[in-house]
Amino acid sequence: MKIIILGAGQVGGTLAEHLASEANDITVVDTDGERLRDLGDRLDIRTVQGHGSFPTVLRQAGADDADMLVAVTNSDETNMVACQVAHTLFHTPTKIARVREAAYLTRAGLFDNDAIPVDVLISPEQVVTHYIKRLIEHPGALQVIDFAEGKAQLVAVKAYYGGPLVGQQLRQLREHMPNVDTRVAAIFRRDRPILPQGDTVIEADDEVFFIAAKANIRAVMSEMRRLDESYKRIVIAGGGQIGERLAEAIESRYQVKIIEMNPARCRYLSDTLDSTVVLQGSASDRDLLLEENIADADLFLALTNDDEANIMSSLLAKRLGAKKVMTIINNPAYVDLIQGGDIDIAISPQLATIGTLLAHVRRGDIVSVHSLRRGAAEAIEAIAHGDAKSSKVIGKAIENIVLPPGTTIGAIIRDEEVLIAHDDTVIEAGDHVILFLVDKKHIRDVEKLFHVGLSFF
């Protein structure tokens, strides 16, 4: 696939990295020559320096015969104009744009083909807000991913000493919970993936990924670790777009406080939010945190745009008694350094956004793609189309499907029913199949599994 990526920042660079390793023809456009040189040195891609919305620059990048344009510069306006130019002058089939400003996103009809022709809108703030909200709803989870509109969920937890299943074989999960069907899709032990078998023994500190129907998630979590109590009191550092959207989404169920430096922004938040308490000041101000009884907070969320400020305020809040701390980290290099110490969960907006982008780039009928463990693995939701003659998966039991190395099928969603995958489970047309890959170099092979042969047409 020939893909032009506008913007060589964190999202554009990470996307180029993902796609270049999968035999795509990638060109990255940016005004920053140094960034482009760095990317070009590391990856097998073309780079073009210039403004991504300029027709001459797009032509130089190969827009005449590109399959897809992904506009992820830091400017909403550049991204939108680039899609317009690609549509009008080059008839680019698929145009994806990152648009942050809510004022654009809330206007119905703005992104139709006869207005601004954008096929897929990506709002990082929306994606990250939803990501954090799911973590709040599942205390103790490291990652929570929805499939088939939330009917099934994939959850990552760290197994703790004292958990009922720690030190026991996975096949005993069925004995512990005879009325709950679940499947452990993968285990990461000391950062190395293990494909689970029935005789695999769960060890303390294993990162366990399991899939189950949404209603059964909490019961399965209790087998891996002692259950954390539900959060009640939440403090948010940073009243920007993510802080505001999150407070708006959760204030009816939790006691929420926002700490924001900018007085004008504080006034806006006070007027906009219903029950959230808005405090003007610095989240790194020890006296302010003590005054607001940070020791009583169940969860402290650092959501500003400044990584260092987020890290420092999180460490301070934890030292002063906040029970759990989550932090947004924009620099991927920091994420692995800080997660799991005093900071319980580090959230990378880039990796959360990348999954949404990848779903639209994958071949086959791929509904969603989710980056796991900071990009080390992927979970994919694919739809089985065709019939037994034209499809490599329909009409076959899972044990008879030749899966690429490091790939497991975790669950199948059929209409409203969640079927946890077992060897004798047979895939039918229209099934949503949830796959887990610990080795991303086999993504193309997974996509081919869900291609429909010519006999279908």
Side-chain angles (χ1 to χ4, degrees), residues 216-256:
N216 296 329
I217 293 296
R218 204 158 164 77
V220 183
M221 282 179 71
S222 68
E223 290 296 306
M224 311 291 172
R225 50 173 293 136
R226 58 188 178 276
L227 273 180
D228 292 17
E229 286 184 24
S230 295
Y231 302 126
K232 290 188 184 115
R233 291 170 290 276
I234 297 174
V235 176
I236 297 171
Q241 290 218 32
I242 294 175
E244 179 194 347
R245 287 179 191 209
L246 183 64
E248 199 171 23
I250 66 173
E251 65 180 353
S252 61
R253 293 176 55 196
Y254 305 92
Q255 297 171 30
V256 182

Side-chain angles (χ1 to χ4, degrees), residues 133-375:
K133 185 169 172 278
R134 285 196 305 259
L135 288 172
I136 291 171
E137 289 164 354
H138 294 90
L142 296 173
Q143 196 166 359
V144 182
I145 291 164
D146 285 341
F147 292 108
E149 298 171 345
K151 294 184 186 78
Q153 289 184 319
L154 180 74
V155 177
V157 293
K158 183 172 270 193
Y160 279 101
Y161 289 102
L165 260 189
V166 174
Q168 299 194 48
Q169 293 184 349
L170 278 180
R171 60 168 57 98
Q172 292 173 282
L173 192 57
R174 178 62 65 85
E175 296 165 24
H176 279 251
M177 297 187 301
N179 301 318
V180 173
D181 207 3
T182 185
R183 182 181 176 102
V184 173
I187 296 170
F188 282 84
R189 181 172 297 159
R190 291 179 283 279
D191 288 333
R192 295 180 66 86
I194 296 170
L195 275 182
Q197 309 291 333
D199 58 356
T200 303
V201 175
I202 294 179
E203 296 181 6
D205 290 333
D206 280 356
E207 210 169 301
V208 182
F209 285 83
F210 69 87
I211 192 162
K214 187 174 183 176
N216 296 329
I217 293 296
R218 204 158 164 77
V220 183
M221 282 179 71
S222 68
E223 290 296 306
M224 311 291 172
R225 50 173 293 136
R226 58 188 178 276
L227 273 180
D228 292 17
E229 286 184 24
S230 295
Y231 302 126
K232 290 188 184 115
R233 291 170 290 276
I234 297 174
V235 176
I236 297 171
Q241 290 218 32
I242 294 175
E244 179 194 347
R245 287 179 191 209
L246 183 64
E248 199 171 23
I250 66 173
E251 65 180 353
S252 61
R253 293 176 55 196
Y254 305 92
Q255 297 171 30
V256 182
K257 291 179 181 177
I258 288 184
I259 301 173
E260 166 60 40
M261 275 291 286
N262 186 311
R265 184 70 181 168
C266 285
R267 284 192 293 275
Y268 166 79
L269 292 170
S270 295
D271 293 341
T272 307
L273 299 168
D274 292 331
S275 57
T276 298
V277 176
V278 181
L279 305 164
Q280 199 258 311
S282 166
S284 300
D285 182 338
R286 185 175 183 276
D287 293 336
L288 174 62
L289 293 181
L290 288 171
E291 194 179 311
E292 294 302 325
N293 302 313
I294 194 67
D296 295 334
D298 300 307
L299 177 63
F300 179 88
L301 291 153
L303 308 180
T304 77
N305 289 324
D306 185 324
D307 285 356
E308 285 74 15
N310 286 344
I311 292 167
M312 294 312 293
S313 63
S314 297
L315 293 174
L316 179 61
K318 195 66 178 276
R319 188 154 293 181
L320 294 176
K323 296 175 186 65
K324 270 277 174 71
V325 169
M326 293 185 204
T327 306
I328 278 186
I329 300 293
N330 289 290
N331 185 341
Y334 287 178
V335 175
D336 286 326
L337 288 174
I338 66 164
Q339 176 157 305
D342 284 341
I343 292 172
D344 299 287
I345 297 178
I347 298 156
S348 166
Q350 286 77 26
L351 288 176
T353 307
I354 251 19
T356 313
L357 286 165
L358 288 175
H360 299 285
V361 179
R362 298 279 183 245
R363 295 181 174 91
D365 198 345
I366 307 296
V367 179
S368 62
V369 177
H370 299 276
S371 192
L372 309 173
R373 296 201 85 255
R374 283 81 73 196

Side-chain angles (χ1 to χ4, degrees), residues 22 32 69 99 101 123 129 254 262 274 298 303 341 360 365 367 385 412-413:
E22 298 168 20
D32 189 328
L69 176 81
V99 178
E101 186 49 61
S123 167
T129 301
Y254 305 92
N262 186 311
D274 292 331
D298 300 307
L303 308 180
H360 299 285
D365 198 345
V367 179
H385 287 304
I412 291 161
I413 294 110

Side-chain angles (χ1 to χ4, degrees), residues 106-133:
T106 53
R107 304 304 297 177
L110 182 61
F111 296 101
D112 294 341
N113 263 359
D114 54 359
I116 301 172
V118 177
D119 301 298
V120 181
L121 275 171
I122 304 289
S123 167
E125 286 76 15
Q126 228 160 10
V127 171
V128 173
T129 301
H130 188 52
Y131 186 96
I132 297 170
K133 185 169 172 278

